[in-house]
Amino acid sequence: IYTLSLHDALPIFGAEKMKTPLNFQVSEFDCGTVSAINVINYLFAREEIPAQLLRSIYRYTLDRISPTGKAGEGGTSTQAMTLLANWFNEYAAANQFPLHCQTYYRQEITPELLQKKIKKDRVALVRLYLQNQHYVLLTRMDANYVYLFDPYYLDETYADCDKQVTIIFDKLFAYNRQVALERFFSHGKKDFAMGPESQRELIICQRKAKAGN
């Protein structure tokens, strides 16, 4: 039996605020959509989330056409994610909403950058590999591992033969994958590797402190 605990959510909310577990995708194509929603879900309590943020996520994502010509079935492009991050910043500035996003590319993405940026009020929307290119949410990091919430549901035995990946089921407010830094920063296309440096993109999303705090 797996239990969910609000203890695993970041301590940036008052006790009166309601958190919900992070979300899994419902198709083969919506990892980008769901990971963007998980950014908002992770950083903000349910009562704090404006409907316009969710509408914008659905408007910008699932923009790619599949090789067979089906709209949306190509998933979400990096260009769409960048536009979405820019829209978040514009919305936040216009509405005094405490969110800021910054996009990093290629050689800018280093262990040192993540050690500096991933804090209790910051997460990263990351594109990596899970058989194909795939979006996940990076919520924590230590000296040996990154901790991800992968929206693609996997059986607990999926990584039994992979010593660098652990599937986790009891931290669904925070993460469900523990991935060795060596794998995460590797240049190949194994599961949960960011792959070739020339293709890397990562968006740091921060819940900003309110003025006067």
Side-chain angles (χ1 to χ4, degrees), residues 108-147:
E108 294 179 323
I109 303 170
T110 63
E112 293 75 20
L113 173 76
L114 295 186
Q115 290 283 7
K116 179 180 178 181
K117 295 292 186 181
I118 299 300
K119 306 293 184 182
K120 69 177 184 178
D121 58 352
R122 302 176 194 175
V123 296
L125 184 57
V126 186
R127 188 179 65 162
L128 43 66
Y129 281 88
L130 183 62
Q131 299 182 14
N132 297 300
Q133 290 183 325
H134 181 60
Y135 287 101
V136 301
L137 183 67
L138 190 161
T139 62
R140 300 183 186 183
M141 181 179 181
D142 59 29
N144 300 302
Y145 299 98
V146 291
Y147 298 84

Side-chain angles (χ1 to χ4, degrees), residues 130-211:
L130 183 62
Q131 299 182 14
N132 297 300
Q133 290 183 325
H134 181 60
Y135 287 101
V136 301
L137 183 67
L138 190 161
T139 62
R140 300 183 186 183
M141 181 179 181
D142 59 29
N144 300 302
Y145 299 98
V146 291
Y147 298 84
L148 313 172
F149 192 89
D150 176 8
Y152 196 84
Y153 186 87
L154 294 174
D155 184 86
E156 61 186 313
T157 63
Y158 178 86
D160 280 357
C161 297
D162 191 338
K163 295 182 179 180
Q164 293 186 316
V165 176
T166 302
I167 307 296
I168 297 168
F169 281 91
D170 62 347
K171 305 289 185 183
L172 297 184
F173 288 89
Y175 53 86
N176 61 5
R177 310 282 185 262
Q178 176 184 278
V179 180
L181 288 180
E182 180 182 356
R183 169 67 60 80
F184 184 71
F185 281 97
S186 66
H187 293 260
K189 297 182 180 181
K190 290 185 177 181
D191 287 350
F192 305 107
M194 284 192 290
E197 190 174 82
S198 62
Q199 298 179 9
R200 294 181 183 181
E201 180 176 335
L202 175 151
I203 302 172
I204 300 290
C205 302
Q206 177 184 4
R207 179 191 173 113
K208 298 174 66 176
K210 293 182 179 180

Side-chain angles (χ1 to χ4, degrees), residues 42-74:
Y42 188 83
L43 293 177
F44 298 95
R46 188 169 66 191
E47 296 87 346
E48 298 175 303
I49 299 172
Q52 284 181 273
L53 293 186
L54 302 180
R55 291 184 66 188
S56 70
I57 290 169
Y58 283 105
R59 185 167 70 246
Y60 280 99
T61 59
L62 293 173
D63 62 308
R64 296 183 62 190
I65 297 173
S66 73
T68 58
K70 295 181 179 179
E73 291 194 4

